[in-house]
Amino acid sequence: MTKIIWMTDPHFQNTGLIDTLNPRTRLQAAIEHMNTHHSDADFMVLTGDLIGDDIEGDYVRIAEYLARSKIPVYPMVGNNDDRAGFRKNLSLPENTMSEFIQYKLEETDATFLCLDTHMMGSHAGQFCDARQTWLRDVLSACIDPVYVFMHHPPMDLHLPKQDEIKLTESDAFLDLIGERGKVKHLFIGHVHRPTSGTIRGIPFATLGALSFQAPAPQPAWDWEGFVPAREAPHYGVLYVDDGNVTLQYTQFCVYEHGIEV
């Protein structure tokens, strides 16, 4: 069995607040909770949107926070990330692609793929020919079953605002992961809300953010008037055992923790 801690979207800032939220306090609480209750996990995956606007300063400081983890941490890029700053300050597996931050993690009974869906200058995602070729080659050679971590969803989630900024090559991506039947589950960041379902017979799950939570789709809202939901953050605890998956959504602090007014 492989036990994985899954976290996403810390939107870390080395100074300042996101509206009234201190993202440093939230990330620290998540790591402390994980260290206390889940230090037996094999590793942690952080599915993108690691930083805010200060690329150098934010990566330097978030690296210090992640170093407090008692288990290995595998970071991934999201739309807010910068590949050069990411590589300069964070540790990555040796098999990471040279152009993209995309790599595989092999356990004795499964393969875990961490994909790069970042598109320069956009909040939407991209999975270009080079990344598709890498994925096709890996899927042809790797251990079955395969589990995929990615930032941008390759499907509509009936979250109208988030569906506007999903993966742009969704059909091509879904065709690719369905070719060999090895991919058994998708784990997706980006949307700041927990959802789950199936797409072309493949189960998927999204996760609430370590930072702020997006409001439910109803009543309708827009980005100009965006107000985070007053909901507590959480992370995921994954158990993968002989092709079976259990995901526990785990609240690590109350909503008020990290809110400064």
Side-chain angles (χ1 to χ4, degrees), residues 242-259:
D242 193 26
N244 301 309
V245 175
T246 300
L247 168 59
Q248 299 172 351
Y249 291 103
T250 302
Q251 182 178 329
F252 61 85
C253 70
V254 298
Y255 163 74
E256 290 78 11
H257 188 79
I259 301 296

Side-chain angles (χ1 to χ4, degrees), residues 102-141:
Q102 188 158 279
Y103 51 86
K104 66 178 178 178
L105 307 171
E106 289 188 313
E107 296 294 314
T108 56
D109 58 350
T111 303
F112 301 90
L113 304 183
C114 297
L115 304 186
D116 180 335
T117 60
H118 174 69
M119 176 163 51
M120 293 289 291
S122 175
H123 290 296
Q126 184 178 50
F127 205 68
C128 63
D129 289 344
R131 283 171 276 190
Q132 290 184 40
T133 297
W134 179 93
L135 179 56
R136 183 174 290 106
D137 291 344
V138 168
L139 287 175
S140 68

Side-chain angles (χ1 to χ4, degrees), residues 51-219:
I51 66 160
D53 297 322
D54 180 4
I55 292 173
E56 181 65 20
D58 288 351
Y59 278 124
V60 167
R61 290 285 284 137
I62 196 173
E64 296 173 0
Y65 278 70
L66 296 178
R68 302 170 189 173
S69 170
K70 292 182 179 179
I71 61 176
V73 176
Y74 294 105
M76 297 170 53
V77 291
N79 49 285
N80 279 12
D81 287 301
D82 174 85
R83 293 192 185 99
F86 201 102
R87 290 182 185 275
K88 180 179 178 181
N89 293 286
L90 300 173
S91 296
L92 293 167
E94 291 184 0
N95 63 25
T96 303
M97 288 184 73
S98 59
E99 185 178 358
F100 301 101
I101 299 176
Q102 188 158 279
Y103 51 86
K104 66 178 178 178
L105 307 171
E106 289 188 313
E107 296 294 314
T108 56
D109 58 350
T111 303
F112 301 90
L113 304 183
C114 297
L115 304 186
D116 180 335
T117 60
H118 174 69
M119 176 163 51
M120 293 289 291
S122 175
H123 290 296
Q126 184 178 50
F127 205 68
C128 63
D129 289 344
R131 283 171 276 190
Q132 290 184 40
T133 297
W134 179 93
L135 179 56
R136 183 174 290 106
D137 291 344
V138 168
L139 287 175
S140 68
C142 70
I143 299 170
D144 184 354
V146 177
Y147 301 94
V148 172
F149 291 90
M150 58 196 303
H151 187 70
H152 293 84
M155 74 289 282
D156 286 336
L157 297 171
H158 303 283
L159 301 173
K161 294 293 105 180
Q162 290 96 319
D163 288 346
E164 295 174 359
I165 51 175
K166 67 179 183 180
L167 191 72
T168 54
E169 295 88 353
S170 292
D171 285 337
F173 175 82
L174 293 170
D175 289 343
L176 176 53
I177 65 171
E179 284 178 3
R180 296 180 179 272
K182 290 184 177 181
V183 176
K184 307 304 184 188
H185 213 297
L186 305 177
F187 302 102
I188 302 164
H190 191 47
V191 299
H192 293 236
R193 283 201 74 79
T195 67
S196 63
T198 58
I199 183 73
R200 300 191 187 180
I202 299 174
F204 68 83
T206 70
L207 190 64
L210 294 181
S211 53
F212 56 90
Q213 311 312 311
Q218 296 297 330

